[in-house]
Amino acid sequence: QVQLVESGGGLVQPGGSLRLSCAASGIIFSIYDMGWYRQAPGKERELVATITSGGTANSADSVKGRFTISRDNANNTVSLQMNSLKPEDTAVYYCNANRRVVHLQYNYWGQGTQVTVSS
């Protein structure tokens, strides 16, 4: 019953911008830490950015200053604003919801959305 649905991916030129969105259902969104991850072919899935249930945001060094993660608890969405895109940003981007309680972990993933940065 938990669903995370990403949208907003596409093909953009280097230097361009995209805004990814993730709509969550089936969870109490406001108590989950949320994140964006990405995976390129042949590579491991890697962290892009996270935002805690309390609103604290962090991002990977490779995207600092270019990407911004935000959440809208009223609409159960988390977004990733991507500016100054580079070819190395090309990957499938995944939305993640995570909650840890003592002895338990709740971890959910969306289906992914393709981002291609190419001239």
Side-chain angles (χ1 to χ4, degrees), residues 48-69:
V48 177
T50 59
I51 185 164
T52 69
S53 61
T56 300
N58 285 285
S59 60
D61 288 344
S62 59
V63 306
K64 275 189 170 67
R66 300 189 297 121
F67 292 9
T68 303
I69 189 170

Side-chain angles (χ1 to χ4, degrees), residues 88-107:
E88 51 262 46
D89 296 318
T90 296
V92 177
Y93 284 70
Y94 296 92
C95 179
N96 172 261
N98 181 261
R99 183 186 179 215
R100 287 188 176 90
V101 186
V102 176
H103 304 308
L104 291 174
Q105 182 189 50
Y106 303 89
N107 198 53

Side-chain angles (χ1 to χ4, degrees), residues 29-37 47-59 68-73 77-79 96-98:
F29 182 81
S30 61
I31 67 174
Y32 275 75
D33 298 333
M34 303 298 298
W36 286 97
Y37 295 74
L47 170 73
V48 177
T50 59
I51 185 164
T52 69
S53 61
T56 300
N58 285 285
S59 60
T68 303
I69 189 170
S70 61
R71 66 190 297 157
D72 182 354
N73 287 348
T77 59
V78 60
S79 298
N96 172 261
N98 181 261

Side-chain angles (χ1 to χ4, degrees), residues 12-51:
V12 296
Q13 294 186 341
S17 297
L18 281 175
R19 185 176 179 87
L20 306 183
S21 294
C22 171
S25 61
I27 61 171
I28 305 174
F29 182 81
S30 61
I31 67 174
Y32 275 75
D33 298 333
M34 303 298 298
W36 286 97
Y37 295 74
R38 66 188 182 187
Q39 187 169 27
K43 298 183 67 177
E44 297 292 327
R45 189 172 297 185
E46 65 176 354
L47 170 73
V48 177
T50 59
I51 185 164

